[in-house]
Amino acid sequence: MPSTEPKGPLHGVTVVHLASWGPGPYAAMLLADMGCEVIVVDRRSAMITTVPPEQDPRRRSQSSIALDLKDAGDKRQFLQLIQRADVFIEGMRPGAAERLSIGPDQCQQLNSGLIYARMTGWGQTGALADTAGHDINYIALSGALDAMGSAAAGPVIPLNLLGDYGGGGLYLVMGILAALFERQKSGQGQVVDGAIVDGVASLTTATLGMLGVGRWGERGQNLFDGSCPWYSVYRTRDDKWVAVGAIEAAFYRQLLEGLGMDPAAWDRSKKGVQAALREALSDRFRQHDRDHWQRVFQYTDACVTPVLSFSEAMESEHHLSRATYTSLNGIGQPNPGPRLSRTPMRQPAPPPSPDRDREVIAEQFQLFREDGP
């Protein structure tokens, strides 16, 4: 009988990912979740990784072949893959692929419909294009890092979520999807220049709008940076935290009522009330444990939630009810998203160890070493 497992909306699209770090693997994972056949071209020598390859969630639902692109026979096999691919993802510094003779010109001569997706921090051009950097550097130069944190302390680093994965991997996938859509009309591939600095700049659009009309000031003086008492975090009696986002008047009223505070006595529009309000909210939240406040506010519109650890998040009632998370090889990870009604995402399969699928890939794509592609 035919399989009833979801194949994903991009079933039939072949992606070759030249193994890289950070945003490249994340982009490959998203495409695999959507149903693409993703082939990771691993190095023959082991890469430095934060998670063992066979446990890395970013490699799920993919296959692997290990090649040395400085070896003539291996390069022939790589180019044979490129001939049959729809998308190629590489994350080297500008010019590195060209020096290996696998740049866009070389690859698109073999496959004019190829979407050649390049993932870097600074972009293929620009004053810093040839220099090294990491997530923290890209978000720093984009203005985003300076905006995070309190007035008294320095900027707060948002892990590497904003740069590598938000401004990097997600924006690269958006470019790839746009190029695939356009190819349906033109029949031609193109190069996607994915730069983390570009993606982060785009993510700051709304903030720049507020800055332009005088509604965004120095760090620690703005609605969304934690400086407003009704949009902040508070410590509870058990030294855990709750998050408060009661921006709207009706939600603010429910916040005060849940805390046993008189809304009429805490008119936040009055000048100079914020310092006293923050102190009052801090005192109230410190009177009980975090779980008490979760029970008080859970089904209200006060916009108060517990600040959960990753482990707690995976076991929370809401995420369990939506099956937000799954586990593969003992590693908890999110299920694919977003959720599509007619062509649901592929169910994740365990990630491959390097070179696990050499024979299968060689047979499927008729790879050989003796002759050129």
Side-chain angles (χ1 to χ4, degrees):
M1 295 180 63
S3 173
T4 58
E5 287 291 323
K7 295 182 177 180
L10 294 185
H11 176 69
V13 174
T14 299
V15 177
V16 174
H17 171 219
L18 186 58
S20 60
W21 290 275
Y26 182 61
M29 183 204 79
L30 294 176
L31 293 169
D33 287 348
M34 295 179 197
C36 293
E37 179 179 6
V38 178
I39 300 168
V40 185
V41 177
D42 281 306
R43 301 182 183 188
R44 287 195 178 274
S45 57
M47 292 176 62
I48 298 173
T49 60
T50 54
V51 179
E54 62 275 10
Q55 293 181 293
D56 191 339
R58 296 169 300 176
R59 291 168 62 93
R60 67 192 190 189
S61 305
Q62 299 167 48
S63 56
S64 168
I65 184 171
L67 298 172
D68 178 1
L69 297 185
K70 294 183 179 180
D71 175 87
D74 279 12
K75 182 180 286 187
R76 290 191 188 102
Q77 292 186 317
F78 171 79
L79 292 175
Q80 289 159 16
L81 283 175
I82 290 297
Q83 272 189 309
R84 297 163 176 81
D86 297 290
V87 178
F88 172 51
I89 299 173
E90 64 96 356
M92 296 181 285
R93 289 200 198 190
E98 285 80 357
R99 289 191 290 273
L100 288 169
S101 298
I102 59 168
D105 291 343
Q106 295 96 329
C107 289
Q108 290 179 330
Q109 283 179 4
L110 296 173
N111 181 353
S112 63
L114 180 70
I115 309 302
Y116 194 109
R118 319 194 77 166
M119 185 72 258
T120 61
W122 303 118
Q124 296 298 310
T125 61
L128 297 176
D130 294 328
T131 65
H134 283 295
D135 180 290
I136 190 172
N137 308 116
Y138 309 133
I139 66 173
L141 208 70
S142 300
L145 183 58
D146 181 66
M148 300 179 192
S150 67
V156 175
I157 301 170
L159 304 182
N160 63 336
L161 302 179
L162 177 59
D164 280 349
Y165 301 116
L170 275 172
Y171 269 74
L172 186 70
V173 169
M174 183 172 68
I176 290 170
L177 296 180
L180 284 170
F181 179 79
E182 191 279 335
R183 193 182 67 173
Q184 293 179 337
K185 296 178 286 185
S186 69
Q188 298 296 305
Q190 58 184 300
V191 177
V192 179
D193 177 2
I196 293 175
V197 288
D198 294 347
V200 175
S202 179
L203 291 170
T204 64
T205 300
T207 308
L208 291 178
M210 288 186 282
L211 177 66
V213 297
R215 294 183 180 178
W216 191 271
E218 298 295 322
R219 182 174 61 252
Q221 301 177 8
N222 306 285
L223 174 59
F224 298 116
D225 62 12
S227 59
C228 286
W230 53 88
Y231 198 90
S232 191
V233 293
Y234 292 94
R235 191 187 297 269
T236 55
R237 186 173 62 184
D238 52 351
D239 283 330
K240 296 182 179 180
W241 297 84
V242 293
V244 175
I247 298 174
E248 294 83 353
F251 302 163
Y252 174 65
R253 183 180 185 88
Q254 290 191 46
L255 165 68
L256 297 180
E257 290 173 346
L259 290 169
M261 298 169 62
D262 182 6
W266 292 101
D267 183 355
R268 62 183 179 180
S269 66
K270 289 183 178 179
K271 188 175 181 179
V273 74
Q274 289 201 20
L277 176 58
R278 180 177 292 279
E279 184 177 353
L281 293 176
S282 296
D283 289 343
R284 292 284 181 167
F285 279 116
R286 286 302 296 264
Q287 291 176 12
H288 296 283
D289 292 348
R290 185 194 66 181
D291 291 349
H292 167 83
W293 295 118
Q294 181 177 4
R295 291 189 295 271
V296 169
F297 290 110
Q298 187 167 16
Y299 300 110
T300 74
D301 286 341
C303 300
V304 177
T305 52
V307 176
L308 302 180
S309 68
F310 287 129
S311 297
E312 290 173 325
M314 288 188 281
E315 297 299 324
S316 71
E317 178 186 20
H318 181 76
H319 289 312
L320 288 173
S321 68
R322 284 183 59 81
T324 304
Y325 295 95
T326 187
S327 178
L328 289 174
N329 291 352
I331 304 295
Q333 57 200 273
N335 267 313
R339 305 176 191 212
L340 304 182
S341 63
R342 190 171 55 80
T343 55
M345 299 291 193
R346 170 195 279 174
Q347 292 300 307
S353 57
D355 211 31
R356 183 194 69 182
D357 307 290
R358 167 175 290 278
E359 293 183 5
V360 173
I361 293 171
E363 180 179 358
Q364 179 183 355
F365 291 90
Q366 300 180 337
L367 305 184
F368 50 89
R369 290 176 56 91
E370 291 77 15
D371 300 312

